Amino acid sequence: MNIAQHNRKAWDKKVDESAVYTRAVSKEMIQKSRNGEWEITVTTGKPVPRNWFPNSLKGKKILCLASGGGQQGPVLAAAGATVTVTDLSKKQLEKDEFVANRDGLTLNTVQGDMTDLSVFDDEVFDIVVHPVANLFVENISPVWKEASRVLKNKGILISGFANPLLFIFDDEEDRKGNLVVKNSIPSSSFDHLTEDEIREYINAKHTIEFGHTLEDQIQGQVDAGFVIAGLYEDDFGGSRPLDKYIKSFIATKAVKWNID
């Protein structure tokens, strides 16, 4: 099956259901961003440190990668950056367009797959912002390689991703408050499902998700030409059982570094 096509429809459905990562930022937040009081997240709740960004975003070209939903892109545009938002889901991109129209912002939206950025030339962006999203693709190496390709030398990649421990537990039991180890890493949403259960899963338009190794997440960036320059952890804010024991998400700042 075409996983990207399925996940596109699944995210359109999430927009219709007003899921948390589809809710656009407020008019008040955009005004604060214009006044220099801005912040974004690439995980769940913890803001990206301001010192991960240049002192000023004016004139900086930023690609918000797999980042629709009217959240990161409009804030960065209001802070002075030239912003392009790309996402698989047209309805997610419409959230960014809504904020731009509501608040008089200029930003560009491009529907597309995070693993194929061929619509963009080499070395055109100063910063790539990539919130938790690569769990929706089976192979994340192309994501890192494409981010590196479109970034200028010494450009910055700020990305959020899931700690693989999040995926080793039985999801149904987890939602009941029980941590029951069931899956190995790497993993997919279809592990341990029968053919009938897979068909039911697909028909319900649930997102198909993949648990990636830390090696693929972090060394994958290094292999794509990045140097890791910062890291922090985040969780669900206490709403999931795992929060009592370990952080479920990681954010990294990486710098593209051509040594030729």
Side-chain angles (χ1 to χ4, degrees), residues 166 171 174-175 177 179 236-245 248:
L166 181 64
D171 191 55
D174 184 19
R175 294 180 188 283
L179 294 177
F236 286 101
S239 64
R240 296 281 288 269
L242 197 58
D243 289 349
K244 298 176 185 177
Y245 305 101
S248 305

Side-chain angles (χ1 to χ4, degrees), residues 7-8 18 24 33 42 45 59 77 120 141 143-145 150 169 176 180 188 192 196 208 225 227 252 254:
N7 278 341
R8 174 180 57 78
S18 193
S33 300
V42 292
F120 303 115
S141 179
V143 179
W144 303 135
K145 289 178 180 178
V150 301
F169 299 101
K176 296 175 188 174
V180 178
S188 86
H192 310 294
D196 286 344
I208 299 170
V227 175
T252 53

Side-chain angles (χ1 to χ4, degrees), residues 5-255:
Q5 185 179 55
H6 173 87
N7 278 341
R8 174 180 57 78
K9 294 176 181 177
W11 270 100
D12 283 349
K13 180 172 177 278
K14 285 180 181 288
V15 173
D16 292 339
E17 296 169 345
S18 193
V20 63
Y21 300 115
T22 72
R23 300 172 193 166
V25 295
S26 67
K27 196 176 187 72
E28 291 73 24
M29 184 173 289
I30 293 299
Q31 187 56 51
K32 285 184 177 181
S33 300
R34 283 191 163 116
N35 294 336
E37 302 174 44
W38 61 270
E39 63 180 30
I40 63 166
T41 61
V42 292
T43 49
T44 47
K46 189 173 181 178
V48 177
R50 280 290 293 269
N51 63 11
W52 281 19
F53 292 92
N55 289 334
S56 172
L57 294 185
K58 295 189 184 304
K60 299 298 182 183
K61 294 183 178 180
I62 299 180
L63 176 64
C64 291
L65 177 60
S67 179
Q71 298 177 355
Q72 293 87 7
V75 167
L76 295 169
T82 301
V83 174
T84 298
V85 183
T86 183
D87 199 279
L88 203 59
S89 165
K90 181 75 166 67
K91 290 190 175 183
Q92 277 284 76
L93 293 175
E94 287 171 355
K95 293 288 187 174
D96 294 273
E97 293 163 1
F98 164 76
V99 178
N101 291 330
R102 182 193 68 192
D103 298 328
L105 300 172
T106 300
L107 57 78
N108 185 35
T109 59
V110 177
Q111 186 175 12
D113 190 324
M114 72 183 90
T115 65
D116 180 7
L117 302 180
S118 55
V119 67
F120 303 115
D121 292 334
D122 295 353
E123 300 189 347
V124 291
F125 294 102
D126 299 288
I127 303 170
V128 171
V129 172
H130 179 47
V132 175
N134 67 27
L135 73 162
F136 302 113
V137 296
E138 187 170 11
N139 180 10
I140 59 175
S141 179
V143 179
W144 303 135
K145 289 178 180 178
E146 283 289 83
S148 179
R149 181 184 65 78
V150 301
L151 272 171
K152 299 173 184 177
N153 189 34
K154 298 184 183 178
I156 298 168
L157 168 65
I158 297 173
S159 55
F161 48 90
N163 186 320
L165 280 173
L166 181 64
F167 295 97
I168 70 173
F169 299 101
D170 182 287
D171 191 55
E172 276 190 38
E173 289 296 323
D174 184 19
R175 294 180 188 283
K176 296 175 188 174
N178 305 316
L179 294 177
V180 178
V181 174
K182 182 178 182 180
N183 306 309
S184 58
I185 302 298
S187 69
S188 86
S189 296
F190 295 155
D191 291 351
H192 310 294
L193 297 184
T194 66
E195 288 186 11
D196 286 344
E197 288 171 332
I198 289 173
R199 278 193 292 270
E200 184 180 341
Y201 191 99
I202 291 169
N203 290 336
K205 291 185 180 178
H206 297 309
T207 52
I208 299 170
E209 301 178 5
F210 299 90
H212 301 293
T213 66
L214 279 179
E215 184 172 348
D216 284 345
Q217 295 284 17
I218 297 176
Q219 184 62 37
Q221 294 183 59
V222 175
D223 291 342
F226 290 102
V227 175
I228 304 298
L231 184 149
Y232 67 86
E233 295 175 294
D234 199 4
D235 59 22
F236 286 101
S239 64
R240 296 281 288 269
L242 197 58
D243 289 349
K244 298 176 185 177
Y245 305 101
I246 195 168
K247 303 292 186 182
S248 305
F249 298 96
I250 297 167
T252 53
K253 173 185 178 181
V255 179

